[in-house]
Amino acid sequence: MTAGIAAAEVSFSGTAKFGYNDTDAATGDSVGAAFSDLDLNIDFSQELNNGFTAGASFEFDVSDADQGASFSASDALISLTNGESGIYYGDTDHAAENAWTAVGSMEADAFRDADDEMVTRADMTFGGAKLSVSLGDDTHINPTKAAIPAPGNEKDYISLGISGSAGAFSYALAHQNANTLWLDDDDNTAPSQQKTTGVRVSTTLGGATVALGYAKNDVDTSTGIEVSYPMGALTTTASYVKEGDASEEDNWDVKFVYAADAVGLTVATDESQDWNVDVSYEMGNGLSLFVGADDGGEDTYAGVSYDLGGGASLLASYANDNSNNDDDDEVGAKDYKEGMTFQLSFAF
């Protein structure tokens, strides 16, 4: 739904889920319970003079049918943009993260994720190159994960990202300074506090996309090559990463993705970690079947969904997390809840 006043626009979207699950993800015990999740996304935009657009967005979340007790706001972002530049404040990527894409499974490219942080980032475009600079402010802190810096010794979190193309080549450069910001509860761990630099170059040769990458932090280096080649409905991607730290294993990965008509198949293997397989089949009349295994076969899942039209769907699934290590209750490529689940979903 969109409401317009002059050049200003306000849009609303969201999802609602209700269902029943019979397993506690943390313990694997049989504990049947209903669950629900509701989110509302609100976006504002206003056209200004000289080609600029002011924007703002945020999300309201309500979970577990607590009638407001679990009501929270997240993903707030304010922006001022035109065709070639922009300033962003809130839930947005750091400059290094925004520019960087790993080449294979690199260990030395732990650029800081924007997890519940208020990030200020400026983007500018010069002659086909996009330059980004950002400053981080970690407001979701966990002091048990890092020592509190002594007064006067704090370092702001600053990062840089440059990406673009030159002839047949695409390139990216990412850099972050060492910093003393506290670690948060989500994706950022100790390596994300290290000074880190990454360089990536890619091009197309004979129909294959070839990428070379190098990353360096305070304790390690990663040098990687990745080749992706499409052959009709099948795309094969392979990579190899040489790690400079003797305590780290070199990594190789192979991934096959097949998509044709009603069938989808993804098979991936990682020498140093695991393998996974995901199969989907559209049976017709809105019915789809999903089957798969993850974490080297430790986790298995199967589900069937039925499209009710108008953004509504029904889901029945069963997932087994053998080691109970999916704390967020999301198993496999489809993020199923562990155990048997029945769910009704709406998208507005």
Side-chain angles (χ1 to χ4, degrees):
M1 180 176 66
T2 301
I5 303 175
E9 292 188 351
V10 180
S11 63
F12 301 86
S13 61
T15 61
K17 299 176 183 178
F18 172 74
Y20 175 85
N21 175 259
D22 69 352
T23 303
D24 184 330
T27 64
D29 296 337
S30 296
V31 181
F35 65 89
S36 66
D37 182 79
L38 170 68
D39 66 77
L40 172 65
N41 301 283
I42 305 177
D43 295 271
F44 308 87
S45 66
Q46 171 71 60
E47 295 180 6
L48 308 178
N49 294 332
N50 302 318
F52 283 88
T53 299
S57 61
F58 61 94
E59 178 179 310
F60 283 130
D61 298 287
V62 181
S63 61
D64 298 330
D66 285 338
Q67 297 299 324
S70 296
F71 185 82
S72 63
S74 62
D75 302 331
L77 178 65
I78 300 172
S79 63
L80 179 65
T81 61
N82 63 17
E84 297 183 347
S85 62
I87 298 176
Y88 305 86
Y89 176 71
D91 182 22
T92 188
D93 289 338
H94 293 290
E97 182 189 15
N98 193 48
W100 181 249
T101 301
V103 179
S105 298
M106 309 178 83
E107 302 290 345
D109 66 339
F111 292 105
R112 190 176 180 89
D113 288 320
D115 291 320
D116 293 320
E117 298 175 32
M118 299 303 289
V119 177
T120 303
R121 193 184 79 238
D123 297 342
M124 296 148 281
T125 302
F126 300 97
K130 180 180 178 181
L131 170 65
S132 299
V133 180
S134 68
L135 175 67
D137 176 19
D138 193 344
T139 58
H140 190 111
I141 58 177
N142 185 343
T144 65
K145 291 188 176 183
I148 301 173
N153 293 332
E154 300 91 342
K155 293 182 180 179
D156 291 332
Y157 182 79
I158 301 172
S159 71
L160 169 71
I162 302 174
S163 60
S165 59
F169 294 88
S170 297
Y171 60 87
L173 169 66
H175 176 78
Q176 68 179 28
N177 69 323
N179 66 93
T180 54
L181 289 178
W182 295 357
L183 303 176
D184 58 35
D185 287 323
D186 299 316
D187 294 334
N188 291 312
T189 55
S192 71
Q193 291 184 309
Q194 299 176 7
K195 180 174 70 174
T196 306
T197 301
V199 180
R200 172 192 170 100
V201 179
S202 64
T203 190
T204 300
L205 299 172
T209 299
V210 181
L212 300 173
Y214 175 80
K216 182 180 186 300
N217 61 22
D218 293 335
V219 298
D220 194 10
T221 62
S222 299
T223 304
I225 181 171
E226 182 177 85
V227 180
S228 181
Y229 185 66
M231 297 174 288
L234 176 66
T235 299
T236 303
T237 303
S239 65
Y240 176 78
V241 177
K242 175 67 176 178
E243 299 295 342
D245 188 343
S247 66
E248 297 284 354
E249 294 184 9
D250 297 341
N251 296 313
W252 63 263
D253 301 274
V254 180
K255 183 177 183 179
F256 304 93
V257 178
Y258 177 84
D261 300 323
V263 178
L265 171 66
T266 299
V267 179
T269 183
D270 178 346
E271 179 195 32
S272 61
Q273 299 295 328
D274 54 43
W275 58 265
N276 59 76
V277 58
D278 182 71
V279 181
S280 63
Y281 178 67
E282 296 180 7
M283 297 180 286
N285 298 318
L287 283 171
S288 297
L289 174 67
F290 305 95
V291 180
D294 203 0
D295 291 340
E298 290 289 319
D299 300 345
T300 55
Y301 57 92
V304 59
S305 66
Y306 179 56
D307 187 353
L308 299 172
S313 63
L314 285 170
L315 168 71
S317 66
Y318 177 79
N320 177 43
D321 178 12
N322 188 56
S323 55
N324 291 320
N325 60 357
D326 290 300
D327 294 334
D328 50 7
D329 210 10
E330 296 175 349
V331 179
K334 298 297 183 292
D335 290 337
Y336 288 144
K337 291 180 176 295
E338 185 177 4
M340 182 64 71
T341 302
F342 300 95
Q343 178 178 288
L344 175 63
S345 303
F346 303 94
F348 303 96

